[in-house]
Amino acid sequence: KVEVAVTATVDSFVGHLENYVAQVECEPQATFPSKAEVAFDFANLKTGNKDRDIAMLKWLEYSTQPKAEFHLTGWKQTGTTNFAIGQLTIHGITKNVESPVVVKHEADIWEITGTTGFDYRDFNLTKIRKALVLTVDPHLKVNFYLVGKLQGNK
């Protein structure tokens, strides 16, 4: 499950990804995944409002920038918090990100849960403003919960 929480002057909402590709590799005795790639097409991000979804795709310049991707590059620990380090690409712009995550695994079932935030203006997207007073906060929050079962040796 992947969700995007958006705060606006009026009509805050949570968008849900209906379809995405997550490829995660884990070694049976490891603490953290050795590889993780998540990609999706923005047409699969649904907000519950068809007109808003259409406006979002136009704002994202969907015809030329339809996809988003995350590529895991490493892990770090600060205190008791573990961070997934990676690169997030949106709107053709790639940025380094760090996301606090909880990784649990028992036998061959792995769960990865986390929340990360970012400013969409960092991806060359303009601040959304309507009627001069209604705005969408540029700080988005992404919640993710991935569950998988090891196959074969990984």
Side-chain angles (χ1 to χ4, degrees), residues 1-146:
K1 170 170 94 168
V2 179
E3 301 174 328
V4 179
V6 178
T7 303
T9 308
V10 177
D11 199 23
S12 296
F13 60 92
V14 176
H16 302 273
L17 270 177
E18 293 184 340
N19 190 19
Y20 56 91
V21 174
Q23 297 178 332
V24 181
E25 291 183 9
C26 306
E27 301 296 330
Q29 304 304 318
T31 304
F32 301 108
S34 56
K35 179 181 177 183
E37 306 278 341
V38 179
F40 67 91
D41 186 303
F42 278 107
N44 291 312
L45 182 60
K46 302 299 182 182
T47 69
N49 178 315
K50 186 176 179 179
D51 291 337
R52 180 172 46 215
D53 293 348
I54 292 168
M56 176 184 63
L57 294 178
K58 181 178 178 185
W59 170 73
L60 286 163
E61 298 175 335
Y62 178 79
S63 63
T64 60
Q65 305 292 341
K67 298 192 182 298
E69 297 176 344
F70 171 78
H71 170 74
L72 178 72
T73 59
W75 294 92
K76 81 173 190 179
Q77 185 175 23
T78 302
T80 59
T81 304
N82 297 305
F83 290 86
I85 301 168
Q87 295 182 318
L88 178 64
T89 302
I90 297 174
H91 198 238
I93 307 291
T94 300
K95 294 289 183 178
N96 294 324
V97 295
E98 294 183 6
S99 302
V101 296
V102 174
V103 178
K104 297 179 184 177
H105 54 94
E106 188 171 322
D108 58 352
I109 303 295
W110 285 65
E111 295 181 23
I112 304 169
T113 307
T115 298
T116 192
F118 63 88
D119 186 325
Y120 62 70
R121 296 172 298 184
D122 291 340
F123 295 90
N124 202 27
L125 291 164
T126 59
K127 187 167 184 178
I128 301 168
R129 182 170 280 139
K130 290 185 179 182
L132 299 175
V133 294
L134 303 176
T135 62
V136 173
D137 188 338
H139 302 95
L140 303 177
K141 184 169 85 171
V142 178
N143 303 310
F144 52 92
Y145 176 66
L146 305 172

